[in-house]
Every structure is written in structure tokens, then in C-alpha cells.
Amino acid sequence: MNKKESVFYMIHEMEAWFISQPTVLDKFYGSLISDKLAKKSATEVFEPDKELQRITKDTKKGIYHKIRHGTELLKLLDVDKLSNDFPDFKRLVECLQ
């Protein structure tokens, strides 16, 4: 397989996907935690997992946990919005079809 045929997955951490949909975060955590996010594109957040831990530390569900919260959050995301916001996500979906 040459480089053109290969696909690279998870170029962005899935936490960037969550940050790109702040209303999902607010609904899941039951508070307006998105107000604590830096006002920049999710693709520009340096360590999105640490950013989620920072903004969720005082929530009823507790601090963000990659396995416990991540799997639930993935189910809530808008796939069309992800495809528009993250070209690598779109390519991943196309390759899986």
C-alpha cells in the first residue's frame, strides 16, 4: 500500500471533537461549562483532553474521564458537523463505508 492509499486515523484527539460541539458538553455535564472554553477553534486547542478536565472539574459528573465520559459523548456528537469541522474525520468515515 502506498502513502496515497493509506489513511491516518485520529489526527485530532477525540476531545477536540467534543470541544467543537459545546452544546453537547453543556447538555452532558448539566451546566454551562462551554463558557469556560477558550474562544478559539477546537482544532487549535493544544491539549483538548486537559482542557476538558479543566472545565469539568466542578461538575456533577466529575472531571472528564476518557473512557467513562468519552464513550458516552461520542454517541451525542453530530457526525455531519464533525465532517465539516474536521476533514480527517470525514475521510475516516468515508474509508469505513
Side-chain angles (χ1 to χ4, degrees), residues 21 74-86 89-90 93 97:
Q21 297 184 21
L74 282 171
K75 297 175 192 176
L76 302 174
L77 296 177
D78 180 329
V79 175
D80 292 329
K81 182 167 179 5
L82 285 177
S83 294
N84 288 329
D85 294 346
F86 297 92
F89 179 85
K90 182 178 181 178
V93 170
Q97 293 178 341

Side-chain angles (χ1 to χ4, degrees), residues 62-78:
I63 193 167
Y64 169 75
H65 186 271
K66 189 177 285 279
I67 303 299
R68 196 170 54 249
H69 296 161
T71 54
E72 293 301 314
L73 283 165
L74 282 171
K75 297 175 192 176
L76 302 174
L77 296 177
D78 180 329

